[in-house]
Amino acid sequence: QQQVKQSPQSLIVQKGGISIINCAYENTAFDYFPWYQQFPGKGPALLIAIRPDVSEKKEGRFTISFNKSAKQFSLHIMDSQPGDSATYFCAANPSSNDYKLSFGAGTTVTVRA
Amino acid sequence: DTGVSQNPRHKITKRGQNVTFRCDPISEHNRLYWYRQTLGQGPEFLTYFQNEAQLEKSRLLSDRFSAERPKGSFSTLEIQRTEQGDSAMYLCASSSGQGWSYEQYFGPGTRLTVT
């Protein structure tokens, strides 16, 4: 069973708009939450990551929001560009087993010009 | 700085044949991971090495699968007697043991097709 549930499965956004992807988890031992971006035929590329000691982290146009009490975290892509069209995966792992990332099922983002 | 490399990038094989994939991690990364990704899904953890020691194997890794990292550098993943259900993208990742040791960097993957 998937330990990280991701939604939506896909989304379409206009250029310049905001893309929002949500993830939820149950395992309270998780304490590292990365997001990966994957283009067709390529491996996942680390985009941004957060630890639960902060509620938000921003890098350029990408922001992670983290809600520890709700066990939810989300990725916001501001000013979406056609080059952002890709599949995005959230993931999580606990510090006690820092080798094993549990991934969500992915969200395919399409940015229309 | 070269990233994680994997060879071959694509492999087509007939059911029942053995295949071997290679992964070269980022230099000086002492941790190496193998994942499998099927179409429309996120990667699933298979196994993990710290230096040359294999420390964890997923239940997904049947006895037809074997992975090695003999000198703590590159790693190989072998699948014996391949089945059609083995068709997937096999991803390798590496990470250092410093700082945020959780940061895993992925290679481009090897796409396996079993006919």
Side-chain angles (χ1 to χ4, degrees):
Chain A
Q1 70 283 12
Q2 266 186 328
Q3 295 198 57
V4 181
K5 295 193 185 334
Q6 184 172 347
S7 63
Q9 188 174 12
S10 64
L11 68 90
I12 299 172
V13 63
Q14 294 297 317
K15 180 181 175 182
I18 302 173
S19 304
I20 302 174
I21 306 169
N22 301 299
C23 286
Y25 64 96
E26 289 297 323
N27 187 345
T28 55
F30 285 155
D31 69 350
Y32 169 68
F33 304 90
W35 285 87
Y36 284 84
Q37 178 190 56
Q38 187 175 32
F39 293 104
K42 306 290 186 185
L46 180 63
L47 195 60
I48 186 173
I50 197 168
R51 297 285 300 275
D53 51 348
V54 297
S55 60
E56 186 173 282
K57 183 174 181 180
K58 183 176 180 178
E59 288 185 2
R61 296 184 293 107
F62 300 91
T63 300
I64 300 179
S65 297
F66 184 81
N67 185 329
K68 187 173 181 178
S69 60
K71 291 184 285 186
Q72 295 176 347
F73 59 110
S74 60
L75 177 70
H76 291 60
I77 307 173
M78 313 300 285
D79 187 26
S80 297
Q81 300 297 312
D84 297 332
S85 297
T87 300
Y88 293 81
F89 293 95
C90 60
N93 72 359
S95 58
S96 61
N97 295 309
D98 66 341
Y99 48 79
K100 189 185 299 185
L101 281 171
S102 296
F103 282 84
T107 298
T108 300
V109 173
T110 303
V111 182
R112 297 248 191 258
Chain B
D1 174 36
T2 57
V4 178
S5 61
Q6 292 187 245
N7 287 288
R9 295 293 310 278
H10 303 274
K11 179 71 177 178
I12 300 174
T13 190
K14 293 187 188 306
R15 189 176 56 184
Q17 297 294 304
N18 299 344
V19 294
T20 300
F21 310 140
R22 176 178 169 127
C23 170
D24 287 89
I26 293 171
S27 60
E28 300 181 359
H29 275 189
N30 61 3
R31 298 180 179 184
L32 187 148
Y33 316 78
W34 286 99
Y35 290 82
R36 181 171 69 187
Q37 185 178 24
T38 53
L39 203 61
Q41 298 297 318
E44 295 175 292
F45 173 82
L46 291 180
T47 190
Y48 152 70
F49 291 85
Q50 179 152 329
N51 299 311
E52 65 276 8
Q54 187 174 18
L55 298 184
E56 176 78 6
K57 290 173 63 172
S58 163
R59 283 171 292 184
L60 292 174
L61 218 61
S62 75
D63 56 8
R64 297 184 297 105
F65 289 71
S66 62
E68 293 183 343
R69 194 182 183 199
K71 296 183 179 178
S73 56
F74 73 91
S75 174
T76 58
L77 177 68
E78 181 183 16
I79 309 174
Q80 297 183 325
R81 305 181 303 282
T82 51
E83 302 173 356
Q84 288 190 320
D86 297 332
S87 295
M89 175 81 88
Y90 290 85
L91 294 162
C92 176
S94 69
S95 70
S96 73
Q98 312 298 325
W100 267 37
S101 62
Y102 312 103
E103 289 187 349
Q104 296 185 22
Y105 296 91
F106 283 81
T110 294
R111 179 163 295 285
L112 173 66
T113 303
V114 182
T115 61

